[in-house]
Amino acid sequence: MLKFAKKISFLVIIVSIISTTIFCVGEFGFSNVYKNNYQKGWVYQYRAIQNADRDKNKIILFGSSYLTFGVDIDRLSQETGMPVYALGIHSGMGMNYVFETVEKFTNEGDIVVFPFLYVDEVDYGMDLINISLDNEPDLYFDFFKEHPLEVLRGAGKATYRKLYQTFHDLVKGQTDDNITVYDARAFDPSNGNLIYDRPSCIADDETLYDWDYDFNKIDPTYIAQVSQIIDMCDEKGASFYMAYAPIIYSSVTSSKDEIQEYTTGLKNTFDVPFIFDLEDVFVTKKYVYDLPMHMNNTGKVFYTDMIYNGLSQYVVFTD
């Protein structure tokens, strides 16, 4: 029995060593092949709030890509006279990491805004998290300390993808001049504000996919996670407000009664102020860029002002 236990222990140690080696080689053994990846926008957003003045009250908005495309951080900061931080790049990251980051950096007196959207992706989308935190050892090890199994499970795939990308760049070369909205250079590195020029709608019927609002489809776990953020704000003395993500109305398949049932369900579940109604952010093609919830320049100004005007019902802003 003792010999068997020793063999098991030895096997566990070997597996741990191999996994850790794969993790370290995969993350830190190659060049910074993801330096221009869109996911680096998350690092810019994270670094901005990480370096925020803790003695100064701030506005934190969180969500996924609809937030990055919809809110002009600089404009909202000018309107409110407060520093503004956005946390949300891609729904494929999962919302758990976003929730944890909000909880980590929320302080007394802060204003926290969540434009609610149910994201049913995996808890931790390690493919995108690995890309985001690549070549960011302090952020990676912080994440690793909290979620070692998640990191180790994804280490093999992350290493393969990085090896492939490194080989691809060596053979075909890097195309650094081809900048699109899905590029790290589309962001302001100082705060993660998406500054890429989006003058008009480039979406078509295929990319403007259907969207329905059904409160009963929301996972109770997701409800509990959002409730936990609300409770955290209450405990820390921060103010929490709910909003809705903007969307092109032609993509909405729900009836008026179904939308009413959806919004009523949210308001009955979360005892917090909603700073505007869902129908207030149903927009036309004039406001959309490439996807139903991704705003162009016009939509970004519209939605940023909706956030400001909605908050102004509850908060007195002074320059």
Side-chain angles (χ1 to χ4, degrees):
M1 186 68 180
L2 183 59
K3 288 183 178 180
F4 177 76
K6 286 183 178 180
K7 288 181 179 179
I8 293 296
S9 299
F10 179 74
L11 181 61
V12 169
I13 292 172
I14 292 299
V15 170
S16 298
I17 291 173
I18 292 173
S19 299
T20 303
T21 301
I22 291 174
F23 163 69
C24 292
V25 171
E27 293 312 314
F28 311 114
F30 306 105
S31 61
N32 188 9
V33 295
Y34 298 129
K35 64 179 181 180
N36 292 331
N37 192 283
Y38 169 79
Q39 286 299 129
K40 286 299 176 181
W42 168 261
V43 177
Y44 299 150
Q45 293 179 353
Y46 190 102
R47 293 293 190 196
I49 197 168
Q50 181 186 43
N51 296 323
D53 185 347
R54 290 181 173 270
D55 295 326
K56 184 179 292 186
N57 292 338
K58 59 187 178 291
I59 297 174
I60 304 173
L61 302 106
F62 67 98
S64 58
S65 61
Y66 62 85
L67 186 72
T68 288
F69 276 79
V71 176
D72 185 332
I73 299 172
D74 296 330
R75 182 181 181 89
L76 187 58
S77 182
Q78 291 173 358
E79 290 176 332
T80 61
M82 295 179 65
V84 176
Y85 302 92
L87 293 168
I89 288 291
H90 196 305
S91 62
M93 289 179 68
M95 286 299 291
N96 279 5
Y97 188 25
V98 178
F99 289 150
E100 291 168 1
T101 305
V102 172
E103 187 168 357
K104 182 175 183 179
F105 292 113
T106 297
N107 298 316
E108 182 179 359
D110 288 346
I111 296 170
V112 180
V113 182
F114 179 33
F116 185 91
L117 189 71
Y118 173 46
V119 177
D120 60 352
E121 302 293 335
V122 294
D123 291 340
Y124 295 98
M126 289 309 301
D127 283 353
L128 297 184
I129 291 176
N130 276 319
I131 292 173
S132 301
L133 304 188
D134 182 72
N135 257 49
E136 306 289 339
D138 59 323
L139 299 189
Y140 221 124
F141 282 119
D142 282 346
F143 186 85
F144 180 75
K145 285 186 294 185
E146 297 294 327
H147 310 289
L149 293 180
E150 295 288 345
V151 171
L152 293 177
R153 285 192 194 106
K157 188 175 181 181
T159 302
Y160 166 78
R161 289 182 62 171
K162 194 166 184 182
L163 277 169
Y164 172 82
Q165 189 64 48
T166 301
F167 179 75
H168 177 275
D169 291 346
L170 285 173
V171 173
K172 294 191 174 182
Q174 294 182 340
T175 55
D176 288 347
D177 295 333
N178 185 24
I179 302 176
T180 71
V181 71
Y182 298 104
D183 190 298
R185 292 164 293 181
F187 293 88
D188 179 346
S190 70
N191 60 5
N193 198 24
L194 188 64
I195 56 176
Y196 185 86
D197 189 28
R198 312 186 298 281
S200 59
C201 180
I202 64 170
D204 54 31
D205 292 338
E206 185 174 333
T207 56
L208 293 176
Y209 50 79
D210 292 344
W211 189 270
D212 74 298
Y213 293 94
D214 186 346
F215 180 78
N216 294 319
K217 288 183 179 179
I218 303 174
D219 191 323
T221 301
Y222 193 77
I223 295 286
Q225 290 173 315
V226 176
S227 297
Q228 184 176 330
I229 295 292
I230 295 171
D231 291 342
M232 177 274 298
C233 288
D234 186 56
E235 292 171 4
K236 289 189 174 183
S239 301
F240 187 95
Y241 299 95
M242 202 83 84
Y244 298 98
I247 186 171
I248 186 169
Y249 183 59
S250 61
S251 288
V252 178
T253 59
S254 303
S255 67
K256 288 186 177 181
D257 288 343
E258 288 170 332
I259 292 170
Q260 181 65 40
E261 182 181 349
Y262 174 82
T263 57
T264 299
L266 289 179
K267 290 176 181 178
N268 289 340
T269 301
F270 303 114
D271 186 20
V272 296
F274 283 73
I275 61 176
F276 48 71
D277 293 328
L278 176 56
E279 293 89 337
D280 292 337
V281 287
F282 285 167
V283 300
T284 64
K285 208 168 184 178
K286 169 186 174 183
Y287 296 87
V288 173
Y289 183 57
D290 62 339
L291 293 174
M293 298 182 189
H294 285 184
M295 300 294 101
N296 60 25
N297 294 348
T298 302
K300 177 177 65 175
V301 170
F302 162 77
Y303 190 64
T304 301
D305 290 349
M306 284 296 298
I307 295 288
Y308 169 68
N309 291 328
L311 284 175
S312 295
Q313 301 174 77
Y314 301 94
V315 183
V316 177
F317 295 109
T318 57
D319 294 335

